[in-house]
Amino acid sequence: MNPFSSGTRLRDMIRAIRACKTAAEERAVVRKECAAIRAAINENDQDYRHRNLAKLMFIHMLGYPTHFGQMECLKLIASAGFPEKRIGYLGLMLLLDERQEVLMLVTNSLKQDLNHSNQYIVGLALCALGNISSAEMARDLAPDVERLLQFRDPNIRKKAALCSIRIIKKVPDLAENFMYPASSLLKEKHHGVLITGVQLCTDLCKVSSEALEYFRENCIEGLVRTLREIANSPYSPEYDVAGITDPFLHVRLLKLLRLLGEGDVDASDCMTDILAQVASRTESNKNAGNAILYECVETIMSIEDNGGLRVLAINILGRFLSNRDNNIRYVGLNMLMKAIVVDAKAVQRHRATILECVKDSDASIQKRALELVYLLVNESNVKPLTKELIEFLEVSDQEFKGDITAKICSLVEKFSPEKMWYIDQMLKVLTEAGNFVKDEVWHALIVVISNASELHGYTVRALYRAFQASTEQESLVRVAVWCIGEYGDMLVNNVGMLDIEEPITVTEFDAVDAVEVAIKHHRLDLTTKAMALISLFKLSSRFPACLERIKDIIVQNKRSLVLELQQRSIEFNCILQKHQNIRSALVERMPVLDESTLSGRKGGSLPTVPTSGITPCNLPNGVAEPAAAPIGDLLDLSSDDVHASISSGGDFLQDLLSIDLSPASAPSGTSQPPKAGTNVLLDLLSIGLPALAESSSSALDILPSIQDNEAPLANLNGLASISSLPANATSPASSGGMMDLLDAFGPIPQNHEENGPAYPSIVAYESSSLRITFDFSKQPGSPQTTFIQATFTNLSPNVYNEFLFQAAVPKFLQLHLDPASSNILPASGNGSITQSLKVTNTQHGKKSLVMRIRIAYKTNDKDELEEGQINNFPHDL
Amino acid sequence: MIKAVMVINTQGKPRLAKFFEYLPLEKQQELIRNVFGVLCSRPENVSNFVDAESIFGPDSRIVYKHLATLYFIFVFDSSENELAMLDLIQVLVETLDRCFKNVCELDIVFNYSKIHTILDDIICGGQVLETRSTEILRAVEEISKLEAAPNAITLIPKSASGWLSR
């Protein structure tokens, strides 16, 4: 009958299951058993009921459904015998959950058992209640549990205490009933009861601020005394774990003290002495001692500031890091991560030890340590720390490289003191782990290189060297190929030689060879090869001597099976052969890429635009990646049929060529300064046409310039002057294109013209220092979309630098922010910044617009932050 | 609080599983599989802690001990001290060891409900109930005696509880 002693049938079942060789066999055995149990249940078999339930629990653990046994649990609980009750409660805890209706039926049995004369049955009931109590049960049975907190037997008292925790978690309102009984548990001498009592108080503090106050006022001294007693108590083997008296009680007491001390200076003062004692006197050569120290440190960190204690605490963590036990190092790092918020300076002192942990043999410790180092880096220590990390990158495991590379790149980008250093570090990372470098990281590097004109020569030579050493790292090859294409002439002529450089002799043929390697290397992917092809094409005008060879290589690719390469090589070949006159103009060096947009992205000024959005760093050399799409975004052309071919092209160099090669649109090619409507588009796309080089930059400025001018009509004039009014000379079709172009630029002026201001402007935000006004407009046909022109005015006498406007909207809205016209806002309203927003209301007509805004800026070298919510939008937007 | 206690053998078979927050059966099995998947790929000589957020959701940690053919696993949240949890596994294992005289996997398999009794005397509702193995054993033995006696309840003199209070 008894599953412990005479349950042979249970043993038989377990044996049978263990003997199964396959899952199918096991299922068969379980199915047979379940069938037999169901049959027994149907016959209402009393004798084997509790053995059957024991079997069901085993079957449940193996993952088979056992719901049909639930009622059996209730029957067993209701029976009189202890073994039946015991197995019934066990089944109740394992097979049922608080949401099931069946549970309602058990409340009555529980109530009876809580009042049973046999204390073991009371214990069973308490244990079950503590595990599965629902809110209703908690309400019904709370008085019984509360009474049991004063039961004569300590085993019942401690179970009742834990049961109370479940009750107050389920029904926080009941907390006040338990406050007084709980505080009397703190005076217990029995360690088990004391542990559970302290735990109950801790949970009471969490659910009820009233309880927290009560314990603060009445119990701190008692708790401190108890902690002192157990900390000082002589060795007593009964409670001892590894030479420390009852570490669990220590831990629980420290936790409760932490809750009481947090945010309360007086309470914190009461406990500083004992915390100092625990922190300095606890043995730290065993796990149990370290558990106490660990808890003590957390308490010291959380309670109100006491400088001396905190240093002590952080030093303990520092010691943890050099402990031989992995677990101790692991928790030490975890805690330092929290401590860095409290006292970064003290943590900095342990930098060397933390760096050692990055090289730990345990991967999870490495990971933690790396995260911690990442948090420790600042402007002053970025150089040595990056050096360490890069050295570590060289020896780290493959699976760890991705993580560490990402961290180094982000650090270097965030804290780099000078461009040369940035480029150097990035080169090291690319050489070491280029395959792990994310696309946006090497895009950013190219932008930086392009902006550092004095370092072009240095960079291209360094890249050439690295490339010669290894072609293993894809992104290194890409950056190298791009730079050779752009600055190849500097490579061969040692232009801009720096003192620290070793001279290097590279002939023009060597440079072409290098690029050829990239094209022919079997392991490099399409993007790299496409970049190499462009690079080669660029070199064709830089190195006239190599022209024939370059042609050869390009011609070889005409047979490429990859469409992209084939098309490019055919097009390039065509230009090389038939369009000598425009070639040098076509392959002019890229205009300097816009770094401010990049740094804007870093600073998060474009929160609603996807990170890869409009940053020009996505377009190094017309890579076949989604380069054109962002430009489309920028100009908002995507909806426009006329320009569909351009935005869908994927590669604007191709577009350029398709226009060039079809004389219909521009009969004389692009050799003469193009001013026709289509060419303005080319301008906008900032293709490296020499004749357009200047105007292209101005064209790119159009967007901001629109925002600069407050009078919308002026914009029209501005635009017209840029394009030199080709409409006069060209066919209606192209002037239609012109109109589209204007559409694309800013529907605001157009709207103004056609519809007039349909919506009143609002002052969206006004403080003593700043005013923001919103002007609204909509495009006919899309009532959901509202264009907002935000104008910022400085009301203070100081200039605002690094002005940054951010906005957030609820889910039913979509928000798109264009870059602001400037990030400097002149003082006293002497000028303003404008910024365009586009809001699409998916619940148009049902809900009106709402927006949270945040404005950050620097004034007098101080960071300022203003926040607000805009609710006064016109209703029908 | 402690969210779950599991004992899994090195083949991935669950030998004991107790969840202190209700989870449907399929979910329990999935978690057991996932935990095993993480643990079996961990090398020796690394820390006993695993980030469990990917398996158990936010604010959860795993501490485990690998002993002979078994993994003893505790899942808990940030309100528990990791190192103390490690000690608690030690308490559980020590108690089992005393109870079964050199416990092995088979003892756990065949004494399934007794193991649950022991566990219920260490952890109740996700909170630590008792940490001394002598005390736990005493309670378990009392229950065993009651189970063995045919008319258990009437046999217990009320004063028998006196030995428990100190």
Side-chain angles (χ1 to χ4, degrees):
Chain A
M1 291 286 253
N2 182 338
F4 278 9
S5 49
S6 63
T8 44
R9 294 265 334 260
L10 173 66
R11 293 184 88 86
D12 287 345
M13 183 194 79
I14 296 174
R15 275 206 194 97
I17 289 175
R18 279 174 52 80
C20 296
K21 293 203 170 56
T22 63
E25 261 179 69
E26 184 184 292
R27 275 200 296 278
V29 172
V30 170
R31 207 181 301 128
K32 220 174 89 199
E33 280 292 340
C34 285
I37 295 171
R38 275 173 196 263
I41 291 173
N42 288 340
E43 285 161 24
N44 206 4
D45 182 329
Q46 310 247 339
D47 296 344
Y48 291 109
R49 185 173 276 152
H50 85 292
R51 185 203 284 172
N52 284 341
L53 194 55
K55 284 185 192 169
L56 273 185
M57 286 189 283
F58 191 85
I59 292 172
H60 174 85
M61 182 184 63
L62 295 176
Y64 297 94
T66 53
H67 49 273
F68 53 85
Q70 289 173 349
M71 285 309 290
E72 295 296 285
C73 297
L74 304 195
K75 288 182 191 154
L76 283 169
I77 291 170
S79 62
F82 181 82
E84 285 80 15
K85 269 188 190 301
R86 200 190 69 81
I87 209 87
Y89 276 120
L90 206 53
L92 181 71
M93 289 186 275
L94 289 175
L95 308 185
L96 273 76
D97 80 273
E98 58 185 83
R99 282 172 294 179
Q100 273 153 340
E101 302 271 308
V102 191
L103 210 54
M104 299 284 291
L105 305 172
V106 88
T107 312
N108 208 26
S109 303
L110 273 171
K111 193 167 179 81
Q112 273 173 16
D113 285 346
L114 287 176
N115 293 299
H116 203 279
S117 60
N118 181 309
Q119 58 155 338
Y120 292 98
I121 289 179
V122 177
L124 288 180
L126 277 174
C127 184
L129 188 60
N131 275 306
I132 53 134
S133 169
S134 64
E136 283 125 29
M137 286 166 99
R139 279 208 186 83
D140 290 345
L141 300 173
D144 300 283
V145 176
E146 195 189 320
R147 184 174 48 77
L148 290 170
L149 284 175
Q150 277 122 31
F151 198 80
R152 67 195 141 72
D153 184 81
N155 275 345
I156 297 300
R157 287 206 297 278
K158 64 186 187 190
K159 281 185 179 157
L162 293 190
C163 205
S164 312
I165 294 180
R166 173 92 185 185
I167 289 174
I168 57 159
K169 276 188 178 167
K170 286 286 159 196
V171 190
D173 300 347
L174 292 170
E176 59 179 315
N177 300 1
F178 285 95
M179 248 158 58
Y180 306 106
S183 64
S184 63
L185 287 180
L186 296 180
K187 301 184 186 91
E188 285 275 353
K189 291 289 169 222
H190 186 279
H191 281 228
V193 184
L194 197 49
I195 290 186
T196 54
V198 172
Q199 184 61 41
L200 173 57
C201 292
T202 310
D203 280 294
L204 277 169
C205 290
K206 283 183 193 161
V207 297
S208 150
S209 52
E210 193 190 340
L212 179 64
E213 276 312 310
Y214 176 79
F215 292 128
R216 252 187 204 148
E217 272 167 36
N218 300 295
C219 299
I220 286 199
E221 280 166 28
L223 286 169
V224 168
R225 201 177 323 121
T226 314
L227 182 55
R228 183 167 295 128
E229 272 164 27
I230 59 161
N232 293 335
S233 68
Y235 178 74
S236 59
E238 206 186 341
Y239 315 116
D240 157 84
V241 177
I244 308 268
T245 306
D246 211 339
F248 291 95
L249 183 54
H250 267 99
V251 168
R252 287 282 184 254
L253 281 169
L254 286 165
K255 257 188 212 307
L256 180 54
L257 285 177
R258 174 158 78 240
L259 273 179
L260 298 179
E262 229 166 343
D264 188 307
V265 179
D266 292 339
S268 301
D269 277 350
C270 283
M271 57 188 83
T272 45
D273 284 351
I274 184 65
L275 290 180
Q277 187 197 335
V278 172
S280 50
R281 289 231 222 124
T282 307
E283 274 303 321
S284 65
N285 46 13
K286 287 275 169 50
N287 185 54
N290 283 320
I292 296 174
L293 282 174
Y294 178 60
E295 200 63 45
C296 190
V297 167
E298 188 160 6
T299 300
I300 291 173
M301 289 308 199
S302 304
I303 64 169
E304 288 313 294
D305 191 25
N306 181 313
L309 266 187
R310 286 203 173 151
V311 171
L312 182 65
I314 290 176
N315 286 344
I316 290 176
L317 295 179
R319 281 212 307 279
F320 273 16
L321 296 189
S322 32
N323 197 301
R324 291 217 332 276
D325 186 343
N326 291 337
N327 297 323
I328 309 290
R329 290 202 301 277
Y330 181 88
V331 296
L333 286 169
N334 267 350
M335 187 65 85
L336 279 171
M337 209 99 85
K338 293 187 202 162
I340 199 165
V341 186
V342 180
D343 189 349
K345 237 192 234 153
V347 179
Q348 289 282 6
R349 276 203 292 279
H350 298 283
R351 214 166 56 208
T353 340
I354 296 167
L355 267 176
E356 279 307 301
C357 289
V358 177
K359 297 164 196 164
D360 206 286
S361 57
D362 183 342
S364 55
I365 291 180
Q366 280 187 339
K367 200 162 156 261
R368 298 271 140 167
L370 183 63
E371 275 163 27
L372 190 55
V373 169
Y374 182 69
L375 294 176
L376 279 178
V377 174
N378 56 29
E379 279 87 355
S380 61
N381 60 20
V382 62
K383 284 191 175 181
L385 280 179
T386 308
K387 184 162 173 282
E388 289 272 355
L389 288 178
I390 289 177
E391 273 167 22
F392 174 60
L393 182 62
E394 287 159 20
V395 295
S396 66
D397 289 339
Q398 281 298 322
E399 70 247 50
F400 201 40
K401 275 196 167 128
D403 207 5
I404 194 167
T405 306
K407 290 267 188 320
I408 296 175
C409 292
S410 142
L411 287 178
V412 168
E413 199 178 331
K414 207 153 87 193
F415 294 112
S416 99
E418 67 231 26
K419 280 191 176 151
M420 167 113 173
W421 184 81
Y422 173 86
I423 292 172
D424 278 346
Q425 305 312 310
M426 286 309 299
L427 284 191
K428 281 185 202 157
V429 173
L430 286 176
T431 317
E432 206 48 58
N435 290 335
F436 297 97
V437 171
K438 297 234 163 42
D439 281 353
E440 55 266 24
V441 172
W442 66 262
H443 289 173
L445 174 63
I446 285 185
V447 174
V448 171
I449 293 175
S450 136
N451 276 283
S453 54
E454 70 285 8
L455 296 174
H456 284 165
Y458 168 75
T459 309
V460 69
R461 284 187 293 274
L463 277 165
Y464 178 80
R465 275 196 204 101
F467 179 63
Q468 288 296 343
S470 158
T471 51
E472 296 290 303
Q473 311 290 346
E474 188 96 40
S475 54
L476 173 75
V477 176
R478 290 186 189 173
V479 178
V481 160
W482 188 88
C483 285
I484 293 175
E486 291 295 318
Y487 314 119
D489 45 337
M490 296 177 151
L491 175 63
V492 292
N493 297 327
N494 280 336
V495 174
M497 197 75 170
L498 302 181
D499 298 340
I500 52 164
E501 262 183 278
E502 276 178 45
I504 173 171
T505 325
V506 186
T507 65
E508 297 183 348
F509 288 94
D510 290 339
V512 174
D513 280 347
V515 181
E516 187 186 4
V517 166
I519 292 178
K520 296 205 169 146
H521 200 295
H522 65 280
R523 274 188 47 192
L524 299 174
D525 75 2
L526 171 65
T527 309
T528 315
K529 290 186 176 177
M531 283 179 79
L533 213 49
I534 296 180
S535 166
L536 212 52
F537 181 49
K538 291 214 162 191
L539 289 181
S540 69
S541 85
R542 313 257 198 289
F543 305 152
C546 299
L547 190 56
E548 283 312 307
R549 205 166 128 55
I550 289 173
K551 267 188 196 160
D552 276 354
I553 302 171
I554 288 179
V555 167
Q556 282 165 23
N557 278 288
K558 278 166 81 174
R559 290 190 303 274
S560 171
L561 289 177
V562 185
L563 180 66
E564 179 72 32
L565 297 182
Q566 191 189 41
Q567 185 175 352
R568 282 184 193 221
S569 46
I570 289 172
E571 287 163 353
F572 292 162
N573 189 42
C574 192
I575 296 173
L576 288 177
Q577 289 186 342
K578 298 186 199 150
H579 299 277
Q580 285 300 335
N581 51 344
I582 61 161
R583 193 186 78 224
S584 64
L586 269 177
V587 300
E588 189 77 351
R589 206 172 274 171
M590 287 283 280
V592 171
L593 299 160
D594 184 6
E595 204 171 15
S596 65
T597 332
L598 179 78
S599 52
R601 187 188 55 138
K602 268 196 290 183
S605 66
L606 302 167
T608 54
V609 180
T611 29
S612 61
I614 58 170
T615 46
C617 65
N618 269 359
L619 342 160
N621 228 347
V623 182
E625 277 174 51
I631 286 282
D633 265 3
L634 177 68
L635 301 175
D636 205 5
L637 287 168
S638 39
S639 62
D640 212 312
D641 292 344
V642 175
H643 310 302
S645 65
I646 285 164
S647 42
S648 67
D651 176 1
F652 35 90
L653 231 133
Q654 250 168 288
D655 292 325
L656 165 70
L657 295 169
S658 67
I659 292 164
D660 274 332
L661 298 174
S662 57
S665 65
S668 52
T670 36
S671 55
Q672 61 176 338
K675 290 285 181 206
T678 36
N679 287 327
V680 174
L681 268 176
L682 296 182
D683 270 6
L684 293 174
L685 296 175
S686 141
I687 299 152
L689 284 173
L692 296 178
E694 284 164 39
S695 63
S696 78
S697 60
S698 66
L700 267 187
D701 286 337
I702 285 175
L703 263 186
S705 77
I706 288 178
Q707 292 149 0
D708 272 339
N709 292 313
E710 281 178 56
L713 273 173
N715 293 333
L716 277 178
N717 295 338
L719 269 180
S721 68
I722 286 175
S723 54
S724 308
L725 280 174
N728 305 342
T730 46
S731 65
S734 83
S735 73
M738 197 45 212
M739 281 318 290
D740 285 334
L741 195 62
L742 295 179
D743 271 5
F745 275 139
I748 311 152
Q750 193 190 26
N751 234 351
H752 246 283
E753 245 180 7
E754 285 175 12
N755 305 341
Y759 302 98
S761 303
I762 60 166
V763 176
Y765 175 86
E766 181 151 21
S767 68
S768 57
S769 47
L770 185 69
R771 179 167 57 220
I772 306 174
T773 54
F774 279 8
D775 299 296
F776 304 101
S777 59
K778 278 184 193 286
Q779 238 177 344
S782 54
Q784 294 194 331
T785 306
T786 309
F787 293 91
I788 302 175
Q789 176 91 348
T791 310
F792 307 93
T793 317
N794 183 349
L795 304 177
S796 79
N798 304 315
V799 177
Y800 295 163
N801 291 315
E802 296 176 32
F803 187 89
L804 174 66
F805 170 77
Q806 290 172 307
V809 290
K811 283 214 177 75
F812 67 92
L813 298 176
Q814 284 161 10
L815 175 67
H816 179 100
L817 268 95
D818 286 326
S821 58
S822 158
N823 63 356
I824 297 170
L825 189 55
S828 318
N830 289 329
S832 55
I833 298 180
T834 57
Q835 188 161 12
S836 302
L837 293 78
K838 188 176 86 177
V839 183
T840 308
N841 186 349
T842 55
Q843 306 247 19
H844 178 72
K846 291 184 209 136
K847 293 189 181 174
S848 51
L849 299 188
V850 60
M851 190 182 284
R852 289 186 76 85
I853 56 165
R854 181 151 83 167
I855 307 104
Y857 52 85
K858 258 190 174 160
T859 172
N860 295 333
D861 277 338
K862 245 178 60 194
D863 286 317
E864 297 285 346
L865 192 66
E866 297 192 32
E867 285 178 319
Q869 181 156 349
I870 308 177
N871 295 320
N872 58 340
F873 285 100
H875 280 299
D876 39 356
L877 287 179
Chain B
M1 83 178 254
I2 299 166
K3 294 182 177 181
V5 174
M6 302 175 200
V7 179
I8 307 177
N9 77 359
T10 38
Q11 264 97 56
K13 281 258 174 222
R15 289 307 180 205
L16 174 78
K18 178 141 186 160
F19 292 83
F20 295 99
E21 288 169 341
Y22 175 75
L23 290 168
L25 184 63
E26 304 76 46
K27 185 77 186 157
Q28 293 187 4
Q29 293 296 317
E30 186 193 323
L31 292 178
I32 291 173
R33 275 196 303 277
N34 290 347
V35 168
F36 177 72
V38 172
L39 294 191
C40 66
S41 60
R42 272 174 81 85
E44 294 292 324
N45 308 324
V46 297
S47 77
N48 296 72
F49 303 111
V50 184
D51 270 332
E53 305 212 330
S54 55
I55 303 175
F56 282 90
D59 193 19
S60 49
R61 299 155 191 205
I62 290 180
V63 55
Y64 73 98
K65 241 182 190 175
H66 183 182
L67 297 166
T69 56
L70 293 174
Y71 290 108
F72 290 81
I73 301 144
F74 279 36
V75 186
F76 51 95
D77 65 17
S78 60
S79 69
E80 299 288 342
N81 179 316
E82 288 109 317
L83 296 173
M85 285 297 117
L86 199 57
D87 273 342
L88 199 62
I89 294 186
Q90 190 60 35
V91 168
L92 172 65
V93 175
E94 250 172 50
T95 312
L96 293 178
D97 215 35
R98 283 177 166 188
C99 195
F100 295 105
K101 311 273 175 300
N102 282 328
V103 67
C104 67
E105 187 180 339
L106 279 186
D107 291 323
I108 295 179
V109 174
F110 283 107
N111 296 286
Y112 179 68
S113 69
K114 186 163 191 170
I115 309 290
H116 268 288
T117 313
I118 294 173
L119 190 60
D120 283 342
D121 264 294
I122 301 177
I123 302 168
C124 173
Q127 307 289 348
V128 180
L129 179 65
E130 181 57 69
T131 59
R132 275 172 292 164
S133 50
T134 46
E135 191 85 325
I136 298 160
L137 278 180
R138 250 187 243 163
V140 173
E141 271 161 28
E142 276 306 310
I143 287 175
S144 303
K145 263 190 228 156
L146 282 173
E147 297 246 329
N151 287 318
I153 296 157
T154 48
L155 285 180
I156 307 223
K158 282 196 173 159
S159 57
S161 58
W163 56 268
L164 281 166
S165 48
R166 296 173 353 96

